[in-house]
Amino acid sequence: MCCFSDVYFRRQCIVHTANCMLSIGTGFMLSFPAVLNPDILSPNGTGIHATPDQASWIAGTNGISGIVGFCFVPYVMQVYGRKFVHIALNLFYVLGFLILALATNIPCLYAARIIQGIPMCAVFITSIMVGEYSHPKRRGYFITIKKSTVAIGSLMCHCLALCWTWKQIAAFAVVPNSLAILFTLTWPESPSFLALTGKYEECDKSHMWLYGDSLKSKRELKELISNQVEVRKHLKLNNNLKTVIKNMLRKDFIKPFIIVSLLTVITDASGRFYMLAYVVQILMEVTKDKSITMYCTIGSDILTITALLISCFAIRCCKRRTLLFISGITCAFLMCSTSLITFLKSHYDIGGSVYWWLTPIVILLNVFIVNVGVVPACFAIMSEIFPLEHKGIGTGATGVVFTILYSIVMKCTPLMMEKTGVESTFGIYALHVIVGLLILYFILNETKDKTLQQIENEIKGRKQPNFNDYYLNGKPLICTE
């Protein structure tokens, strides 16, 4: 009860609720191929029919259009602010689902998925927003709860498929994003954005609205403004393409870029996205039983939600590095086990009747481990690791990597399963997880319970400041541009 009696906690929860509504819509979008593809590939579908190649492109084409979003949305976010972008992302989802609900042919399905690809940058941008709008001690489990709501959207999508058509599901999916827009209108602009753009009075008000006016809060505000004063002076003197390219070659950009790119590879390879879209196909290939597949699909979503809720405590109690490496290694082991069991069954018929329940259990256990550790740790670090001055271009650059990898995974996973089987598919993805973890072991910093400024100082190799420098005789120094 003490948390809910804290007005600043409640205000941060208002911001967080809008992010969660957006994430529910994202869950619907990511899982929609699982309810759309069986219908359009079936001769007894609702009217629109597609070839397997068309169906895989419909599932993955939003990743290609996502490149556009990642190239332009971070720039818009740095110019017009976080609120404007948050509203725009939700509007794209709403438009995409409306087109799906009214679709009558294959081009309409392509158009809807392409439109929904533009706000895929929300995967990174909303995590950045949680980082800017949350207290450092709440940031980890706020991001984790947000990831749980993606699973809630997925569960709702799969459950509704038992009684609704995919068009009815698309119409219902408009609701969460519409609510997100309404919630977004109630909160102020990010203090970090206001400091970056030189609106220091508004920054003061926004920071106070979120964190109060305690001595510690004032110190953090002064440090934020003081650092952004220097950044703005530097940008004014060096605001050209040559400087942008030069900044991208700096260590404090390259290192976070490599870290986020590797975390993206691990997230994709561990099954965060392809399991949402192809879980029915994967389990059907393994069990050869439609009823078992449906029960396991619902179980997968329930396990995902449970895992992400448990990870709220894990991300709060464990260090980011520790959680990532323990869960990542376990994930790689389970994926290799799935590959081995499937190989022995398909080539030597070892296991007999044990096979039909053992393999789904290992796959579902892997889903649990991925969501209890890998996903929360990866996205928590992604939201924290870029210095503020690089967040725009950094989000865009890593977003291009994310969308390219997402498109490749969504397009190639069904093809890999068809050509090489489940055993090779999981084996290849396990290898990617192992290589990514090995590299991160040597370059990843710990970020738990540190302010964004402290993390930025570590990335830049800068000494942590003495907060007394911002005060004179107990009174805060006034910082002006």
Side-chain angles (χ1 to χ4, degrees), residues 255-256 258-260 262-263 266 319-325 377-378 380-382 384-385 436-447 450 455 458-459:
K255 183 177 179 180
I258 293 173
I259 290 172
V260 174
L262 289 171
L263 291 172
I266 292 171
K319 293 183 177 181
R320 307 278 197 262
R321 276 178 55 95
T322 303
L323 183 61
L324 173 64
F325 287 112
C378 285
I381 295 169
M382 287 177 188
E384 301 165 337
I385 202 69
L437 289 173
L438 182 62
I439 299 173
L440 285 174
Y441 179 81
F442 296 100
I443 64 174
L444 180 62
N445 298 332
E446 182 56 62
T447 62
K450 295 177 181 177
I455 297 169
E458 288 185 359
I459 291 291

Side-chain angles (χ1 to χ4, degrees), residues 186-203:
T186 65
W187 37 267
E189 186 52 78
S190 162
S192 296
F193 169 76
L194 294 172
L196 183 65
T197 54
K199 301 176 181 178
Y200 302 124
E201 291 186 5
E202 294 179 42
C203 175

Side-chain angles (χ1 to χ4, degrees), residues 286 341 344-346 348-359:
V286 169
I341 295 170
L344 293 175
K345 173 62 180 177
S346 61
Y348 302 102
D349 198 23
I350 297 175
S353 60
V354 174
Y355 174 79
W356 74 267
W357 60 264
L358 179 60
T359 309

Side-chain angles (χ1 to χ4, degrees), residues 334-389:
L334 291 172
M335 294 175 76
C336 289
S337 299
T338 301
S339 179
L340 178 61
I341 295 170
T342 309
F343 175 80
L344 293 175
K345 173 62 180 177
S346 61
H347 289 78
Y348 302 102
D349 198 23
I350 297 175
S353 60
V354 174
Y355 174 79
W356 74 267
W357 60 264
L358 179 60
T359 309
I361 287 177
V362 175
I363 291 174
L364 294 181
L365 180 58
N366 182 58
V367 169
F368 180 83
I369 296 298
V370 167
N371 289 284
V372 83
V374 175
V375 172
C378 285
F379 279 96
I381 295 169
M382 287 177 188
S383 72
E384 301 165 337
I385 202 69
F386 268 110
L388 183 57
E389 64 185 289

Side-chain angles (χ1 to χ4, degrees), residues 124-435:
F124 288 161
I125 288 177
T126 54
S127 295
I128 289 173
M129 291 175 62
V130 172
E132 293 184 358
Y133 279 93
S134 304
H135 189 281
K137 292 187 178 296
R138 297 170 184 154
R139 191 166 59 226
Y141 62 79
F142 270 179
I143 290 175
T144 303
I145 292 172
K146 188 177 78 69
K147 299 307 168 189
S148 302
T149 54
V150 175
I152 291 174
S154 175
L155 176 62
M156 292 171 67
C157 185
H158 290 146
C159 288
L160 291 174
L162 298 175
C163 55
W164 284 4
T165 66
W166 57 268
K167 288 191 175 185
Q168 291 172 322
I169 295 173
F172 177 81
V174 170
V175 175
N177 296 106
S178 300
L179 291 175
I181 294 173
L182 295 177
F183 276 105
T184 305
L185 296 173
T186 65
W187 37 267
E189 186 52 78
S190 162
S192 296
F193 169 76
L194 294 172
L196 183 65
T197 54
K199 301 176 181 178
Y200 302 124
E201 291 186 5
E202 294 179 42
C203 175
D204 191 356
K205 293 178 182 178
S206 177
H207 196 276
M208 186 177 297
W209 189 87
L210 283 167
Y211 306 112
D213 58 352
S214 66
L215 183 61
K216 182 178 179 181
S217 176
K218 289 179 178 179
R219 287 175 175 175
E220 292 173 354
L221 174 62
K222 289 298 177 183
E223 184 181 3
L224 171 65
I225 292 178
S226 296
N227 277 278
Q228 293 315 305
V229 166
E230 296 302 319
V231 170
R232 281 176 55 77
K233 288 179 179 178
H234 178 75
L235 291 176
K236 285 181 178 180
L237 294 173
N238 302 279
N239 192 18
N240 53 62
L241 179 60
K242 181 179 179 180
T243 303
V244 171
I245 296 174
K246 184 178 178 181
N247 288 340
M248 292 179 67
L249 297 176
R250 285 164 47 183
K251 177 184 176 182
D252 60 342
F253 176 87
I254 292 176
K255 183 177 179 180
F257 174 77
I258 293 173
I259 290 172
V260 174
S261 296
L262 289 171
L263 291 172
T264 302
V265 170
I266 292 171
T267 302
D268 285 344
S270 65
R272 177 66 177 111
F273 299 111
Y274 67 77
M275 283 301 295
L276 291 176
Y278 299 122
V279 61
V280 175
Q281 185 175 340
I282 291 171
L283 291 171
M284 190 66 189
E285 183 72 19
V286 169
T287 64
K288 310 296 184 183
D289 188 298
K290 187 175 180 179
S291 61
I292 294 176
T293 296
M294 289 308 300
Y295 283 121
C296 289
T297 299
I298 302 301
S300 173
D301 290 328
I302 294 173
L303 277 175
T304 298
I305 296 172
T306 304
L308 288 170
L309 291 175
I310 293 174
S311 69
C312 294
F313 300 97
I315 202 75
R316 182 69 187 89
C317 301
C318 302
K319 293 183 177 181
R320 307 278 197 262
R321 276 178 55 95
T322 303
L323 183 61
L324 173 64
F325 287 112
I326 291 177
S327 59
I329 291 171
T330 306
C331 166
F333 172 78
L334 291 172
M335 294 175 76
C336 289
S337 299
T338 301
S339 179
L340 178 61
I341 295 170
T342 309
F343 175 80
L344 293 175
K345 173 62 180 177
S346 61
H347 289 78
Y348 302 102
D349 198 23
I350 297 175
S353 60
V354 174
Y355 174 79
W356 74 267
W357 60 264
L358 179 60
T359 309
I361 287 177
V362 175
I363 291 174
L364 294 181
L365 180 58
N366 182 58
V367 169
F368 180 83
I369 296 298
V370 167
N371 289 284
V372 83
V374 175
V375 172
C378 285
F379 279 96
I381 295 169
M382 287 177 188
S383 72
E384 301 165 337
I385 202 69
F386 268 110
L388 183 57
E389 64 185 289
H390 296 314
K391 276 188 177 178
I393 188 65
T395 302
T398 53
V400 171
V401 175
F402 170 82
T403 49
I404 291 174
L405 290 175
Y406 175 86
S407 295
I408 292 172
V409 167
M410 294 297 286
K411 175 63 179 175
C412 292
T413 297
L415 298 179
M416 289 168 60
M417 290 179 57
E418 181 182 351
K419 301 296 183 181
T420 65
V422 172
E423 61 269 26
S424 295
T425 302
F426 276 86
I428 292 169
Y429 285 143
L431 181 62
H432 283 78
V433 173
I434 293 169
V435 172

